[in-house]
Amino acid sequence: QVQLVESGGGTVQPGGSLTLSCTPSGSDFTVDFYGIGWFRQAPGKEREGVACVRARTGIKNYVDSVKGRFTISRDFAKNTVFLQMNRLNPEDTGVYYCATDLYDTYCTSAVSPEKYTYWGRGTQVTVSS
């Protein structure tokens, strides 16, 4: 069974940076074959998409609020997907999750979490002065 593990969260000041990692464990799951998405959930709000990447084409999509600040990338040697987050602001606070698109189909500009599965437990990101 696939288990995705997020790491790299923490507390930063506005304008700061963090890099999150998403690594599968306990299976033969590889990030060069399955799509991966990053999502977040702020207190009292619904889970929303942040960024996603298709496995076979490498196509990436971002929601408008993070375009130009966040970058999703993959390291096949480490079998890890990263989310580099720059110029963080308090609205970026939340629990960040990664999940997989088993059919490598659902990474679109909407970055909808609806079709994603095998969710990790999340990592907390807090942006505060």
Side-chain angles (χ1 to χ4, degrees):
Q1 183 175 348
V2 177
Q3 181 178 0
L4 300 180
V5 180
E6 304 94 339
S7 62
T11 299
V12 296
Q13 293 186 340
S17 299
L18 282 173
T19 299
L20 306 183
S21 301
C22 173
T23 304
S25 66
S27 72
D28 295 326
F29 183 99
T30 57
V31 300
D32 61 346
F33 192 79
Y34 296 102
I36 295 289
W38 279 100
F39 307 88
R40 66 188 180 189
Q41 188 166 19
K45 295 187 177 181
E46 292 187 356
R47 189 173 297 180
E48 63 174 358
V50 176
C52 58
V53 58
R54 294 200 181 197
R56 286 180 276 280
T57 63
I59 290 174
K60 302 172 184 180
N61 282 293
Y62 302 89
V63 293
D64 288 344
S65 60
V66 307
K67 283 180 180 176
R69 300 189 299 123
F70 290 13
T71 302
I72 188 170
S73 63
R74 301 177 292 175
D75 186 324
F76 296 145
K78 295 181 179 179
N79 199 27
T80 296
V81 177
F82 299 100
L83 184 69
Q84 172 69 44
M85 307 185 296
N86 298 323
R87 304 201 312 272
L88 285 161
N89 59 61
E91 289 70 37
D92 296 315
T93 294
V95 179
Y96 282 68
Y97 302 89
C98 62
T100 184
D101 170 7
L102 292 177
Y103 300 100
D104 199 27
T105 302
Y106 301 114
C107 177
T108 66
S109 59
V111 196
S112 171
E114 187 175 329
K115 300 293 186 180
Y116 281 75
T117 188
Y118 294 124
W119 293 81
R121 294 185 176 183
T123 185
Q124 176 70 45
V125 172
T126 302
V127 185
S128 174
S129 55

